[in-house]
Amino acid sequence: MDSAANGVRLAAFRPGPPPAPAEPGPPGFLGRHGDGGGYDTLDAPPHHDFYARTAAAGRRRRARPSLFQLHGRVQQDPSRPPLYEETTSGPDGGDSSQEDEDQPEEPSSQPARFGWIQGVMIRCMLNIWGVILYLRLPWITAQAGIGLTWVIVLVSSCITGVTGLSTAAIATNGKVKSGGTYFLISRSLGPELGGSIGLIFAFANAVAVAMHTVGFAETVRDLMAEHGAVMVDPVNDIRIVGIVTVTALLGISMAGMAWESKAQVLFFLVILVSFANYIVGTFIPASAEKQSRGFFSYRADIFAENFVPGWRGPDGNFFAMFSIFFPSATGILAGANISGDLKDPAVAIPRGTLMAILLTTLSYLVISATIGACVVRDASGLLNDTLSGPACSGLACRYGWDFSRCTGNLTCSHGLSNYYQAMSMVSGFAPLITAGIFGATLSSALACLVSAPKVFQCLCQDRLYPLIGFFGKGYGKNQEPIRGYLLTYVIAAAFILIAELNTIAPIISNFFLCSYCLINFSCFHASVTNSPGWRPSFRFYSKWLSLLAALVCAVIMFLLNWWAALIAFGIVLLLLGYTLYRRPGVNWGSSVQASSYSLALSQCEGLNRVQDHVKNYRPQCLVLSGPPGTRPALVDLVGLLTKRLSLMLCGDVVCVSPGPGPGGDRHTAWLNGRGVRAFYRGVLAPDLRSGANILLQGAGLGRMKPNILLMGFKSDWSRASAPAAQSYVQILHDAFDLQYGVCVLRMKDGLDVSHMSPSHVNPGFDESPETNGPAHTHIQTSSTASFPPEPQIQTQFQRKQRRQSVHVYWLGDDGGLTLLLPYLLTRRRRWSRCCVRVFVGGERDRLEEALALIQRFRLGFRDVEVLPDVFQDPQPHSVRRFEDLVSCFRLDSNPKQDSQAQAWNRQPGEPWMITDQDYEKNRAKSLRQIRLNEVLQDRSGDAALILITMPVGRRGACPGALYLSWLDVLSRDLRPPVLMVRGNQENVLTFYCQ
């Protein structure tokens, strides 16, 4: 159909930029979001601010209208502004979102931000090209041979490469802030594992500062020795130079990231020059001096001999070499560790990290192959060790050199196996290699010195662990962790005192492997949970490859050093246990949360395939508590029965005018703060009974649905309005009709504590502040109202009970629920000292029968007593008291009736009122309840809790007023709490094994 032909302009309904109202609109004006045509609505077009957590500088963030604002009543006060209003910084109030996004106005002083080359790739390459490259790679090549050295390099690169892919996936699944590796793991796996690995990774980086500094100090010591300069002795010289060096690096770090980044670029250029110098040196013909040290330029036979392993010493094996080399591959996270200082972490981290891994892997392979093809394993370094006779042995004999004397007793001082400065000897100009060593060691130490405090600062600011918040304070525009720098300095200085590179390197290998293991597992876990929130923009990763890398890291940890691996995992588990116990109040949308939901959903679905069995019966309770904080005793009692056992659901019926529904977050927080394991469910309904019926029929999921209804006794029923009291009775009837077990709790001082806190007083609640009914009937009109924290009032069910008795009056067989509940209660620590006394009705000869039956249930109840006096007539004064209670509800001519009762009399068909026929028909049952109250007062005045079989009023035959009078007189004037219990007449106990 042609819209234009019918006079309808669809363009008038197209959302557009909303003009800011210049003056208050007429009554009912809500704000116009359209470009004409009379389309008045609060709907706003999609905008970046609706999803962003912060706004561009200089402009207030816009807010999306709430559903209540869209759907609620039109405002009647013309002086109030529209509920939704665009807020901009422009003078005309126009839409400046496009300008803000294209040309964001930034503050005048901004911290330094880096791109992917300077911020990530160069930083990672410098950290990978560390001390191991120059000082240990030739020695590892001599030990493992070129072939196994390539295996070591490739295995390390595969681990770091897959970890880089996992890091890229995690880093592109949302905006990455400062904190680096810790931030990535904690926001993916949650604070439990994230916090533990954050501490370990920060410590490993601090130790890595010591490793690279010791490598630098070792080179300085060797240079000093070549010129005959010694300060104290070889070991102490390393310590002195190391402490002085790390102090200087600390000064550069504390000067700020800009200075540190400039120093890194300088170091990078020096290393590139040293590499070029080394490659050129391998092609220069060897001089006699270099030949005496084992260098003969490229030779096929030297390459062939060095291609196979030549293990020496107690640590001469593959895994020992791997443990020494692997720290050199751990620099892949140097860029991610300063994620807060990057312009675009989601782009810079994947691109820079993967490029750095590729280029450094090629450099390691090339250097190990070239030096293995040019230098023999052993050489004396003496110019007079030229070939002198037929007794010469070794590959050098082919080139006119005899190193047999030192190779025989393993005293050679040069060659790949003995001389750590082999790259300097091979190069065209040795001082450039020394400069490269300085650049590589100092740049790596500087990167680790910056990374460790950044990671630790983020961890401290999250306050997952006590006593470390002191180090989370930042200084300056870039929030530099000065205190973290000082702590890292102290740790590094302590490990520098070891002064042995081969000892320090294996220490940090396990910590880095543990970090990589968890990074890969984070990526796998986030992928396998299929959470809609897992949407990384980096697609080139595999969850199964990440899982394989995680397993490989764990295995290699134990192959390198099993006791160090146990220590690392022990620290992780210890910190994990502490975090799980402390339960920090953070919510990062981790994959653990997603997996919890998936697991719970899977288990709930699995229950549908399992048939119910009486042995697996669990009391799943729907508690009509209203807001849980208003009836804490009821919540505490049910929490004792269901904790770690079954489902507990607190139901709240909210009778509201059109407006927002019940605020469940506040009530759930109250339950969590009280330590009650329960769910909160609020429903909107026109009246109490309708809401309770909704909960009775709709609460739960699959087989995880309530089977017991618990309520507070309505102690003001005789003073309340007839509809309110009748609604209470009808809820009980509805529960029985739906095959629920029913429990009603009555306490001497009442259950409702809302009158103790003004924040809970609501004029729409009930007639009396002492009401103990099942749920609030309050009216809410605003979703944005702020509520004060609800008080945590202690109840007797939270206190540890003395050696008292729980009295159980099992007067009617309801399936065993009356016996099961006290059994569950006394299994709790607070009630474990209480013994259970069971009372049954009948003559004395029933004692053995009742005791045998209870013992077959294996409940541990030994104290059973028969009550023959329950069948006696009650005292006359008790009967008169009951008759006075119900007199105003009887449909007879009674001049004592008040005006309200007379109003009810005018409705003879009202089921609430009691006719003479109803009264006489139920007289025996009424007398029984009166007598039971006398028995309870005689025998159970000192009990901790009374449980008694609740009478059932037949629908249509027992008026509501009469039934409530039974419950009232049965539980009246008793000091202990009284729980009236009635099962649904289906067995919940069995003495059979199947």
Side-chain angles (χ1 to χ4, degrees), residues 637-654:
L637 172 61
V638 182
L640 289 172
L641 298 174
T642 61
K643 187 175 183 180
R644 294 189 299 272
L645 175 71
S646 57
L647 173 70
M648 175 180 173
L649 194 151
C650 293
D652 183 11
V653 179
V654 182

Side-chain angles (χ1 to χ4, degrees), residues 952-993:
V952 177
R954 187 180 300 276
R955 185 193 290 272
C958 180
L962 182 59
Y963 183 54
L964 278 179
S965 67
W966 289 351
L967 301 183
D968 192 349
V969 73
L970 176 64
S971 56
R972 172 175 289 184
D973 298 334
L974 292 170
R975 184 196 60 80
V978 180
L979 183 65
M980 293 173 277
V981 182
R982 170 63 67 169
N984 65 353
Q985 305 304 116
E986 295 182 2
N987 287 345
V988 301
L989 294 174
T990 181
F991 40 77
Y992 295 103
C993 64

Side-chain angles (χ1 to χ4, degrees), residues 716-722 725-726 882-892 894 896-898 900-902 904-905 907-908 910-916 918-919 959-965 968 972:
D716 71 334
W717 68 274
S718 61
R719 302 186 305 274
S721 63
Q726 180 67 6
F882 175 76
E883 291 177 346
D884 292 340
L885 176 65
V886 301
S887 61
C888 59
F889 304 107
R890 297 186 60 179
L891 285 174
D892 58 354
N894 188 348
K896 295 182 179 181
Q897 288 183 345
D898 58 15
Q900 186 180 29
Q902 292 173 7
W904 295 340
N905 261 338
Q907 302 176 10
E910 173 63 54
W912 169 253
M913 302 303 292
I914 307 171
T915 66
D916 292 340
D918 294 327
Y919 188 80
L962 182 59
Y963 183 54
L964 278 179
S965 67
D968 192 349
R972 172 175 289 184

